[in-house]
Amino acid sequence: MTGARAEGRVLRRGALPDTAYDVCVVGAGVVGSAIARELARYPGPRIAVVDAADDVGEGTSKANTAILHTGFDAVPGSLEARLVREGRGLLAAYAAEAGIPVEPVGALLVAWDEEQRAALPGLLEKAARNGYDAARIIGPDEVAAREPHLGPGALGALDVPGESVICPWTTTLAYATQAVRAGADLLLGCRVERIDEAEGLHVLRTGRGVVRARYLVNAAGLHADTVDRLLGHDDFTVTPRRGQLLVFDKLARGLVRHILLPVPTALGKGVLVAPTVYGNVLLGPTAEDLDDKTATGSTAEGIAGLREKGRRVLPALLDEEVTAVYAGLRAATEHEDYRISAHEEQRCVTVGGIRSTGLTASLAIAAHVAGLLGGVGLDLKDPGELEPVRMPTIGEAFPRPYRRADLIAADPAYGTVVCHCERVTRGEIRDALASTVPPASLEGLRRRTRARGGRCQGFSCGAEVRSLLEGGEGPVSR
């Protein structure tokens, strides 16, 4: 969409623009950012994205299991099943174009007792009903051959070769970058406190001022039910479901070849062992329903439970060093399916109950929401193709800057390693700070470059990384 609109703004402080937007998207997670990107394909609407945090992807989107799902085990016939199926293909193609790290490692759904083995044919049939025909049941010998470090006693598995691991941080950032470059304004640090109606506009009153828009999309994640109630609806309640995870050192990567899943329960897919695109191994998550939407702390009980379950799946993993522990909250509701609905009389669309599959489904959700907005009156005509975006390479299986002689020859900053654990260079940090959506914090910089994400967790490089962030290597905010 060359020359369609001026680039949007990323505003973290100061007065908000005195602009009447066509669409305001509440929530800058992976789904909200995908919706903004989709709407930016159309030459007409002026778009704002508001979020209470100071960066994109600060909620559920930053702390998940980072899997690109096939949707083999979704509820057949559900909206989630359709959007995951469609979104998987869309995101796989987009990732290849945008440089988002993806590794198609496949998954094994391991049965550890007779009851679980007896459930495998039903899961295979469910996969077929969901349009996924590549799954098959394998016996214990093949399981052992394909995962030689697996614990003893596996009775078989469902082989799902299409499951992949992906970088969730780069995905959200890519969507937001394209949306801003195509004209969307990203208004951060704007917690929505009240929504009124005046002169045909939604008036969102935030901690930083007022945002006005004709159409509204509620993609507020954990707080989607709160925003929905501000609009007068009571269709669902979000119960934050905490998932604690352990990140094992890169030396553990050789222990696992696939995503190793248990037979799922009503609370989710259970505790998995999976490689990451950064070269580590994940163990988790727990599934704890809480009342507090800010309870992202880890617990001794949760970590002990993960280690106990991990010991059965991959005993040698427990001998490896733990690099990091983190926890995320999923937006669980009392319903099995996504809660996506349009309210024509209010010119708004609610996008709620988007659980762990939201990353995979994000582009399909965005297209679905655009269709709903068109159905309630938003003029969406003549969509164009956005200018392609190419994200920085932070996946371990891909050519990182410190290994590229051509980059280093052209700019020695790409040969100056700052974070030695993750081999992050000064050039990468400089580029992140000067990017379209720059980080506002050390954590935001870590998600863009991996700096401070290694085994020393910033003990060695932390001071220098902070100095670069604060010292003006690039604009930290606009």
Side-chain angles (χ1 to χ4, degrees):
M1 192 188 295
T2 305
R5 282 184 291 226
E7 184 168 311
R9 295 161 289 185
V10 180
L11 301 174
R12 290 188 168 98
R13 59 175 67 96
L16 296 176
D18 185 16
T19 302
Y21 294 96
D22 294 293
V23 186
C24 177
V25 180
V26 180
V30 70
V31 172
S33 297
I35 293 168
R37 175 195 172 275
E38 175 67 21
L39 295 175
R41 295 177 56 231
Y42 296 86
R46 184 72 191 274
I47 304 153
V49 183
V50 304
D51 198 285
D54 65 2
D55 202 355
V56 299
E58 275 283 358
T60 298
S61 301
K62 75 176 181 183
N64 54 46
T65 49
I67 295 175
L68 181 57
H69 295 284
T70 59
F72 77 95
D73 58 348
V75 177
S78 65
L79 178 63
E80 180 180 15
R82 176 172 72 82
L83 295 178
V84 169
R85 183 169 61 248
E86 295 173 0
R88 172 190 172 231
L90 292 171
L91 182 49
Y94 181 78
E97 174 189 276
I100 298 167
V102 175
E103 291 187 47
V105 295
L108 296 178
L109 198 75
V110 181
W112 296 96
D113 57 39
E114 288 296 341
E115 182 180 359
Q116 292 177 7
R117 181 162 65 174
L120 295 182
L123 289 166
L124 180 64
E125 191 269 338
K126 178 186 271 190
R129 290 173 63 196
N130 280 316
Y132 187 75
D133 298 322
R136 64 189 182 96
I137 296 173
I138 61 176
D141 291 342
E142 184 173 348
V143 173
R146 290 173 58 175
E147 285 290 352
H149 297 284
L150 201 68
L155 302 181
L158 183 69
D159 176 22
V160 189
E163 298 278 300
S164 303
V165 291
I166 187 172
C167 176
W169 308 329
T170 309
T171 305
T172 305
L173 186 61
Y175 294 162
T177 297
Q178 277 194 302
V180 171
R181 289 181 180 175
D185 284 346
L186 181 57
L187 310 178
L188 299 168
C190 292
R191 182 178 299 278
V192 177
E193 299 168 349
R194 178 175 161 185
I195 302 176
D196 298 318
E197 179 89 10
E199 299 178 351
L201 297 173
H202 295 284
V203 180
L204 286 74
R205 305 191 185 279
T206 81
R208 285 185 53 207
V210 169
V211 180
R212 294 173 293 130
R214 290 196 303 126
Y215 292 84
L216 182 65
V217 177
N218 169 16
L222 287 167
H223 301 280
D225 57 342
T226 301
V227 175
D228 221 32
R229 284 165 176 75
L230 293 177
L231 292 164
H233 305 292
D234 189 14
D235 296 333
F236 61 93
T237 297
V238 172
T239 300
R241 181 168 294 161
R242 181 167 61 190
Q244 301 182 51
L245 297 104
L246 302 180
V247 183
F248 286 85
D249 189 80
K250 289 175 172 46
L251 294 175
R253 179 62 181 82
L255 296 175
V256 60
R257 300 174 181 176
H258 306 77
I259 302 165
L260 300 177
L261 298 163
V263 175
T265 69
L267 286 178
K269 293 181 172 63
V271 172
L272 59 81
V273 177
T276 76
V277 294
Y278 321 113
N280 301 93
V281 177
L282 279 184
L283 171 61
T286 59
E288 310 157 59
D289 285 345
L290 308 173
D291 296 323
D292 184 356
K293 293 182 179 180
T294 66
T296 56
S298 299
T299 66
E301 181 182 10
I303 293 170
L306 290 177
R307 293 182 66 88
E308 180 182 348
K309 292 177 180 177
R311 183 173 287 107
R312 179 176 192 183
V313 177
L314 208 66
L317 183 63
L318 277 298
D319 295 328
E320 301 294 333
E321 295 291 331
V322 172
T323 295
V325 178
Y326 71 93
L329 299 174
R330 283 105 77 188
T333 73
E334 67 272 37
H335 304 280
E336 284 191 324
D337 205 354
Y338 292 166
R339 309 307 296 168
I340 303 178
S341 58
H343 302 280
E344 182 173 4
E345 70 288 353
Q346 289 182 300
R347 306 176 315 285
C348 70
V349 175
T350 295
V351 187
I354 310 299
R355 296 179 293 273
S356 59
T357 54
L359 170 62
T360 301
S362 54
L363 289 175
I365 292 172
H368 181 62
V369 169
L372 292 176
L373 285 170
V376 299
L378 180 62
D379 186 11
L380 294 176
K381 294 179 181 178
D382 304 320
E385 292 301 320
L386 297 173
E387 289 290 338
V389 63
R390 191 72 186 175
M391 303 305 292
T393 302
I394 63 172
E396 196 67 11
F398 302 87
R400 301 277 304 287
Y402 79 95
R403 297 174 61 186
R404 290 186 53 184
D406 59 330
L407 280 182
I408 297 168
D411 185 345
Y414 292 115
T416 305
V417 175
V418 175
C419 170
H420 288 269
C421 292
E422 295 297 310
R423 296 175 290 277
V424 181
T425 66
R426 180 180 288 266
E428 292 171 274
I429 293 173
R430 177 202 60 205
D431 292 349
L433 295 174
S435 63
T436 301
V437 186
S441 66
L442 288 169
E443 286 303 297
L445 184 58
R446 178 178 62 84
R447 292 194 294 273
R448 287 161 173 82
T449 66
R450 289 171 42 184
R452 298 171 56 256
R455 59 173 62 100
C456 87
Q457 289 291 287
F459 180 82
S460 176
C461 68
E464 184 174 1
V465 172
R466 180 180 290 277
S467 176
L468 292 173
L469 176 70
E470 297 175 348
E473 287 281 326
V476 175
S477 64
R478 303 180 180 184

